Amino acid sequence: MSDQRTGPSLPRTRGPVSAGVVGFLRGDAPLPDPGSAGDTDPYGEDLHLALYVCYELHYRGFAGVRPELEWDPGLLTVRAELEDRFLTALRRDATGTADLDDVLAGLLVEPVHGTGISWFLQDRGELRHMRAYAVQRSLYHLKEADPHAWVLPRLSGRAKAGMAAIEYDEFGGGRADRVHAQLFADLMTDLGLDSTYGRYLDDGCAEMLALVNLMSLFGLHRRLRGALVGHFAAVEITSSPASRRLANAMKRTGAGPAAEFFYTEHVEADAVHEQVVRRDVIGGLLDDEPELAADIAFGVTATSCLEDRLGDRLLTDWQA
């Protein structure tokens, strides 16, 4: 049996379920009863840390955790219960029209005066807010585009080609220094933060963990490929205007050139990606599998729901 000597350290636990998962991976505790997920807050710290840890075994793993535990049957059983609890809550709470055209049209509406997190950072954010925001977003951006790569083998034709073209850009177009995860690491350096992968897992709030878990949940299940495409569309369509505001915020607060560049890069790139997603990825997938329209719409609304929860959490914390 091999030993994993690299990767981030296992996180501090936040409740009985995450304690059981982390203890099992560490080798000093049994797995929690799968049924215990039914008593756990579907958006809470305990469930989402446990689920994040389970998913991270499919990415870079943890130092000291045996790689073969990635496919441990007992751990996968626990993970399935956590996923079901989370997904059931999302299907209940991510409400809105199921009509895909209406859902996509809603993403294109840009208010003159918005109230979300990027608006706050642009207009009133201080350098401490930029750092706090980067700490949370590092849970995703230091592996940016990795969760979306899971969907590539589940697509074909025009949808696959469009998705691969966007992913190629996300991974730097063949240049290691332009990989978007590296650009975010450079942003963190400008902000005086540690850019080591997984460094701020203990600081990640439940709302940010849930958002990253959503990508892994959709990406790792073939049956949810439509929802992953919907999630990806929501990200790419809304990214360009939000990135422009965040670039303005970085410039106004003097965060540094790399911090500003990360977002200016996304303003241009994601404006192009938006068109490819709508025309080729969604259009191609619906040509092949029109029955997935409702799943794509669900992916969009679930993403919006969790982004709103994250924004509300951060703004509440900062204003307190």
Side-chain angles (χ1 to χ4, degrees), residues 14-299:
R14 307 187 192 183
V17 178
S18 58
V21 169
V22 169
F24 173 75
L25 295 178
R26 200 168 46 224
D28 59 13
L31 278 169
D33 181 350
S36 62
D39 300 321
T40 308
D41 180 354
Y43 299 115
E45 304 274 353
D46 191 26
L47 184 145
H48 280 288
L49 180 62
L51 193 52
Y52 187 99
V53 169
C54 289
Y55 286 146
E56 190 57 35
L57 299 179
H58 298 298
Y59 294 101
R60 302 195 194 182
F62 295 96
V65 174
R66 292 181 291 117
E68 54 269 25
L69 290 178
E70 177 183 1
W71 299 108
D72 181 85
L75 186 62
L76 292 177
T77 299
V78 171
R79 192 188 90 182
E81 292 295 327
L82 298 173
E83 290 174 330
D84 183 66
R85 178 78 169 153
F86 179 36
L87 191 56
T88 298
L90 280 174
R91 292 196 184 279
R92 179 193 67 213
D93 299 333
T95 57
T97 176
D99 182 82
L100 180 56
D101 289 338
D102 289 343
V103 168
L104 294 176
L107 294 177
L108 296 171
V109 176
E110 184 70 8
V112 176
H113 301 290
T115 58
I117 193 79
S118 64
W119 292 92
F120 172 87
L121 291 173
Q122 174 184 252
D123 299 336
R124 290 185 285 152
E126 301 172 11
L127 204 53
R128 64 189 176 94
H129 298 127
M130 306 303 168
R131 292 191 179 103
Y133 185 68
V135 162
Q136 296 298 323
R137 288 290 184 180
S138 70
L139 298 186
Y140 167 62
H141 281 306
L142 290 179
K143 60 182 173 199
E144 184 170 339
D146 290 350
H148 304 126
W150 298 113
V151 82
L152 283 169
R154 290 103 193 268
L155 303 176
S156 61
R158 192 152 54 98
K160 181 191 284 282
M163 191 75 186
I166 297 172
E167 288 284 274
Y168 182 69
D169 285 348
E170 301 281 351
F171 293 131
R175 291 179 52 185
D177 62 320
R178 296 300 294 268
V179 172
H180 284 191
Q182 180 58 52
L183 296 181
F184 194 81
D186 297 339
L187 171 150
M188 296 183 76
T189 300
D190 260 6
L191 290 171
L193 299 169
D194 187 342
S195 64
T196 304
Y197 183 89
R199 163 65 177 80
Y200 293 107
L201 178 53
D202 282 329
D203 298 282
C205 63
E207 291 79 3
M208 188 65 219
L209 292 170
L211 196 53
V212 183
N213 285 341
L214 181 78
M215 305 179 206
S216 298
L217 171 63
F218 289 167
L220 286 166
H221 291 272
R222 187 175 64 84
R223 65 187 172 89
L224 296 173
R225 61 195 179 280
L228 190 282
V229 166
H231 160 78
F232 193 64
V235 171
E236 296 298 326
I237 291 173
T238 61
S239 174
S240 187
S243 292
R244 183 177 292 106
R245 290 189 288 272
L246 291 167
N248 292 338
M250 294 295 177
K251 183 176 183 177
R252 182 177 58 78
T253 57
E260 187 178 344
F261 178 75
F262 176 81
Y263 288 109
T264 57
E265 167 74 6
H266 281 72
V267 171
E268 181 177 348
D270 291 345
V272 176
H273 293 171
E274 173 204 334
Q275 301 300 317
V276 178
V277 169
R278 295 174 67 197
R279 182 186 65 244
D280 294 328
V281 182
I282 292 178
L285 182 58
L286 290 178
D287 284 348
D288 294 338
E289 301 179 275
E291 69 277 8
L292 293 183
D295 286 349
I296 297 172
F298 169 65

